[in-house]
Amino acid sequence: KVLDASTLSFGTRVKWFAICFVAGIVCSVLGTALLWLPNGIKLFAVFYTLGNIAALASTCFLMGPLKQLKAMFEPNRLIATIVMLVNMLSLLSFAEYGAKKGLAMLFCILQFLAMTW
């Protein structure tokens, strides 16, 4: 099953973890580089968000998506999960409507802090 990480071999899970994690880093760095282009804020928002989604997907391969979702919504992590999701959506929404780069960076910093929390 796709929803159960235990059906994949440990080697397969580690490989896909590494692939998703590296893809997440590449997307986030690429997005950050695109931010400094004229009108690059939309591309930045898309690539940075894809990078964070890929990073979240990477841990799904290690622990399984259902277990990860349960862990993300535990009472002690609920606030961090909500902050991360709100900032992810805010970054995409505000970028679509021409947000300033400083505001985009604020959403990124808050999103990063929530993910590390």
Side-chain angles (χ1 to χ4, degrees):
K1 291 184 208 175
V2 173
L3 295 177
D4 186 10
S6 64
T7 61
L8 300 173
S9 72
F10 180 74
T12 302
R13 288 186 286 145
V14 170
K15 285 176 193 172
W16 279 105
F17 164 78
I19 289 168
C20 287
F21 191 75
V22 169
I25 291 171
V26 169
C27 284
S28 295
V29 170
L30 179 61
T32 303
L34 292 171
L35 177 63
W36 308 112
L37 294 176
N39 299 321
I41 194 162
K42 289 181 185 179
L43 289 172
F44 163 72
V46 169
F47 277 98
Y48 190 81
T49 302
L50 285 175
N52 283 334
I53 291 170
L56 285 172
S58 70
T59 57
C60 284
F61 282 102
L62 292 181
M63 55 191 306
L66 294 178
K67 189 174 178 183
Q68 179 168 336
L69 284 173
K70 287 179 184 176
M72 286 174 63
F73 289 96
E74 287 177 353
N76 60 333
R77 292 184 179 160
L78 184 60
I79 293 172
T81 299
I82 290 170
V83 168
M84 187 255 323
L85 293 173
V86 165
N87 281 289
M88 191 179 286
L89 293 173
S90 296
L91 176 61
L92 289 170
S93 299
F94 279 79
E96 178 64 29
Y97 296 107
K100 303 294 181 203
K101 290 179 183 177
L103 186 58
M105 292 307 294
L106 175 65
F107 290 139
C108 289
I109 291 167
L110 292 173
Q111 191 175 334
F112 176 79
L113 291 173
M115 286 185 75
T116 56
W117 180 13

